């Protein structure tokens, strides 16, 4: 058997498919669709092997299956495809000046700096002690406009006292989530998409599901303070991250924002 010549374009092709597959995997990870996704990948790998080895019968049977599979995929992954397009649409690729920014050639967005993170973590620690519920979303690359529009626009410099007073139970702004972009609070009372991920433990209610939901649909990170237990949760990429103490939490957030 002769190995085909590998052109540079083939390498790019493989890398792009790998990136796309990884992106899709991240999207369906933790949802029931993951098993279907793995099943499809396995069938496709077997199909490719049978084709390369010229095993006519099996490759024709699997070929027919994968051909019709595209339509089946659209039906089965209807929800995930919606999320994928939503995620794609909410990245800066679609904004006028965003393309180069997305590639990190020019970065005119101001990142959330260490001082702001320390203020956020301090506020979370104090809200945890007083059992004050909170939900904070910190933007990374990619727009959060699709959720920001559901709340009230703000332009406030991040500060421990301000965060605490916003989430204070009697404050008119305490409901919903707070969005932080750079070193500013840019929205309050935001309604986030709630995750339907079944692997989220039952003890977590809507606040935590919303924290997971926003990280499923964007590149942001979320911090939730439970009103019931005072527990602080850090959610990144639809997963709860454990941390030792407030200092560790701060280090982790800073790392995610690098
Ligand atoms: N989709 C959402 N987007 C933003 N905030 C939400 C959303 N759903 C719920 N919340 C906020 O979470 C608060 C508490 O909801 P819930 O008690 O169901 O959450 P929880 O995860 O059990 O949190 P806690 O441990 O604080 O009770 C609501 O009052 C609201 O402020």
């Amino acid at each position: 058997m002769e190995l085909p010549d590998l052109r540079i374009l083939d390498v790019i092709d493989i890398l792009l498919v790998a990136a796309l597959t990884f992106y899709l995997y991240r999207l369906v990870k933790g949802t029931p669709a993951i098993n279907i996704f793995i099943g499809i990948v396995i069938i496709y790998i077997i199909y490719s092997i049978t084709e390369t080895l010229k095993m006519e019968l099996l490759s024709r049977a699997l070929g027919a299956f994968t051909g019709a599979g595209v339509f089946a995929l659209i039906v089965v992954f209807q929800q995930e495809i919606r999320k994928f397009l939503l995620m794609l649409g909410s990245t800066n690729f679609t904004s006028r000046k965003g393309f180069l920014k997305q590639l990190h050639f020019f970065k005119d967005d101001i990142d959330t700096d260490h001082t702001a993170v320390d203020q956020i973590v301090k506020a979370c620690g104090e809200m945890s002690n007083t059992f004050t519920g909170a939900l904070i979303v910190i933007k990374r690359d990619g727009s959060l406009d699709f959720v920001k529009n559901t709340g009230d626009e703000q332009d406030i410099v991040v500060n421990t006292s301000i965060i605490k007073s916003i989430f204070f139970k009697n404050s008119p702004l305490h409901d919903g989530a707070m969005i932080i972009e750079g070193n500013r609070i840019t929205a309050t009372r935001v309604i986030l998409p709630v995750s339907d991920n079944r692997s989220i433990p039952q003890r977590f209610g809507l606040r935590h599901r919303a924290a997971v939901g926003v990280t499923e649909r964007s590149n942001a990170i979320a911090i939730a303070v439970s009103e019931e237990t005072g527990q602080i949760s850090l959610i990144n990429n639809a997963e709860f991250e454990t941390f030792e103490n407030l200092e560790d939490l701060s280090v982790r957030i800073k790392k995610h924002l690098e």
Side-chain angles (χ1 to χ4, degrees):
M1 193 181 69
E2 248 181 66
L3 280 177
D5 290 339
L6 200 66
R7 295 172 307 151
I8 191 93
L9 268 177
D10 296 328
V11 176
I12 295 173
D13 192 23
I14 292 168
L15 287 177
L16 283 177
V17 171
L20 194 68
T21 313
F22 175 69
Y23 206 46
L24 286 173
Y25 169 73
R26 257 184 43 181
L27 200 69
V28 293
K29 194 171 71 170
T31 71
I34 183 70
N35 295 329
I36 305 171
F37 177 80
I38 292 171
I40 289 165
V41 171
I42 291 173
I43 289 180
Y44 189 74
I45 291 172
I46 297 174
Y47 168 62
S48 305
I49 294 172
T50 55
E51 259 227 325
T52 316
L53 298 177
K54 302 214 179 328
M55 295 164 71
E56 291 291 332
L57 210 58
L58 196 57
S59 98
R60 216 180 295 169
L62 290 174
F65 180 83
T66 44
V70 174
F71 298 103
L73 277 185
I74 294 172
V75 177
V76 175
F77 285 114
Q78 200 185 14
Q79 242 194 342
E80 281 69 26
I81 291 170
R82 239 188 102 243
K83 278 183 208 167
F84 179 69
L85 294 176
L86 198 76
M87 239 159 102
L88 214 62
S90 63
T91 62
N92 286 337
F93 278 112
T94 51
S95 73
R96 271 164 284 130
K97 55 176 183 174
F99 182 71
L100 291 174
K101 196 167 78 186
Q102 188 76 17
L103 294 176
H104 295 274
F105 288 141
F106 299 106
K107 222 167 176 231
D108 59 3
D109 259 1
I110 297 166
D111 289 332
T112 309
D113 66 23
H114 286 193
T115 318
V117 174
D118 290 337
Q119 296 282 315
I120 297 166
V121 171
K122 190 168 171 222
C124 290
E126 292 177 17
M127 290 190 290
S128 161
N129 291 337
T130 54
F131 293 83
T132 306
L135 180 49
I136 301 172
V137 180
I138 308 176
K139 178 182 171 289
R140 291 193 291 186
D141 295 332
S143 166
L144 283 176
D145 288 352
F146 72 103
V147 285
K148 252 171 80 180
N149 298 338
T150 63
D152 303 330
E153 206 176 316
Q154 308 288 354
D155 187 16
I156 311 165
V157 175
V158 169
N159 168 293
T160 301
S161 317
I162 300 273
I163 296 175
K164 276 168 56 190
S165 60
I166 285 174
F167 286 114
F168 178 63
K169 277 172 203 133
N170 293 334
S171 152
L173 301 181
H174 83 278
D175 218 9
M178 169 190 285
I179 306 283
I180 293 180
E181 295 179 274
N183 297 326
R184 308 190 87 84
I185 298 165
T186 55
T188 49
R189 295 207 314 152
V190 170
I191 301 168
L192 300 177
V194 175
S195 171
D196 55 9
N197 188 333
R198 283 165 204 215
S199 61
I200 299 173
Q202 289 282 327
R203 67 176 187 279
F204 292 126
L206 284 179
R207 192 193 310 274
H208 293 81
R209 287 193 164 270
V212 175
V214 71
T215 66
E216 277 172 351
R217 289 163 173 80
S218 73
N219 200 20
I221 55 173
I223 307 163
V225 182
S226 169
E227 194 176 354
E228 275 168 53
T229 62
Q231 189 191 346
I232 306 173
S233 306
L234 171 64
I235 298 103
N236 176 42
N237 202 7
E239 278 175 6
F240 286 82
E241 275 190 18
T242 48
F243 50 88
E244 304 271 316
N245 47 35
L246 288 181
E247 211 174 300
D248 189 22
L249 172 65
S250 176
V251 170
R252 275 163 199 277
I253 296 173
K254 285 170 189 167
K255 214 163 167 197
H256 287 313
L257 294 173
E258 270 168 13

